[in-house]
Amino acid sequence: LEYDSKFKYLFVTSRYIVWGSSLCKHYQFDLQTNILNHPTLLHQPNVNTLFNVLDDNQLLDSAYNFPLYRRWFIAFVLDTLRNSLSHGGGSVLGGGSRKAKSFHISIDSGGRLTKIHANFFIRVLKILSQPENHMFQPIWNCLLAKPAIDLRYVPEFLRLFFSTNNKFTIERQWIVRLCVDSLGDPADYLVMENSLVFKHILCAYSLPSADMSFKFSVLRLLVNATKHSRIVHALIRFHAILLWLSRHATASISSEEQRKLFLCILENIHNALAEKSSNQPIMDIVNLIKDECS
């Protein structure tokens, strides 16, 4: 309220938050009699009366412009990133640095993030500015519980992939898409292998809970993985990828896009194995699966 020179109390319109002009009219004194034209809420403790004085437009505008402390979120994420990259990889705080060896070859150890961790922090920043997003709560709980992210593993993979939430498909699809978009070199594969990513997604492909969106994500992940010959050999040796393909690529395929993804995977495997003549027996199996899939 604001007290003016004529001894009348007026509402300060610049300080409306959710009520708007409807509340002002409801409590406005008559200029002649100085009496309220409406009964007060104090005399009518009714929920409907409360909603009647709400201004719809003002309430919506306040919701859209509710102050979010985005700078604080950014500082919080940067602090987690700093702890993860600290000396020793933040091992004291629960994090871990990148390993110096990957497939027995030297990889960069200059403090740079792998692609999967860089994409994770980028997407986290986007989600923290969208509180209405379903992923806001699990991601925020992760940051609150862990002062550092262990860079040897895919962040929160097991928790999100095996979520017990009613909307578990959203959380599982989010973490799988992160892996699909982040597999760029053997170092990324090593991080996923530490988290048993390929073991779990290959097993989950045939589950009743696996919808077509999830299956497409699994196939796209395999397409990206089989572009690297070292990863192809690892998938054949540790995950029996050819047996998995013989089961699913030769089964009934529901769409042409799915068939194209299977053929792309088989073509990538064929190109990787063609580098050595000693792989001829395996190439015969690949060609047989391609013929069945076609």
Side-chain angles (χ1 to χ4, degrees), residues 188-238:
D188 298 316
Y189 171 79
L190 181 62
V191 174
M192 296 182 189
E193 194 63 31
N194 289 338
S195 298
L196 305 178
V197 171
F198 286 91
K199 173 185 176 181
H200 292 307
I201 65 168
L202 293 178
C203 292
Y205 184 88
S206 57
L207 293 178
S209 60
D211 54 11
M212 288 306 301
S213 178
F214 172 75
K215 291 183 177 181
F216 281 137
S217 296
V218 173
L219 295 178
R220 292 188 182 101
L221 179 61
L222 291 176
V223 169
N224 294 338
T226 52
K227 292 178 181 178
H228 306 274
S229 59
R230 287 182 175 273
I231 300 180
V232 169
H233 287 86
L235 290 174
I236 294 174
R237 179 178 179 182
F238 300 115

Side-chain angles (χ1 to χ4, degrees), residues 84-85 88-101 107 112-114 116-117 121 148-157 186-197:
S84 303
L85 291 172
S91 57
V92 178
L93 299 173
S97 59
R98 292 176 62 178
K99 290 191 174 182
K101 297 290 182 180
I107 61 175
R112 293 193 303 171
L113 291 171
T114 57
I116 190 167
H117 293 108
F121 282 107
I149 299 298
D150 195 331
L151 301 183
R152 296 171 297 176
Y153 304 96
V154 178
E156 294 298 289
F157 175 77
D188 298 316
Y189 171 79
L190 181 62
V191 174
M192 296 182 189
E193 194 63 31
N194 289 338
S195 298
L196 305 178
V197 171

Side-chain angles (χ1 to χ4, degrees), residues 60-72:
L60 182 63
D61 185 66
S62 299
Y64 278 125
N65 294 280
F66 191 81
L68 294 175
Y69 299 98
R70 294 182 175 87
R71 292 184 179 179
W72 186 83

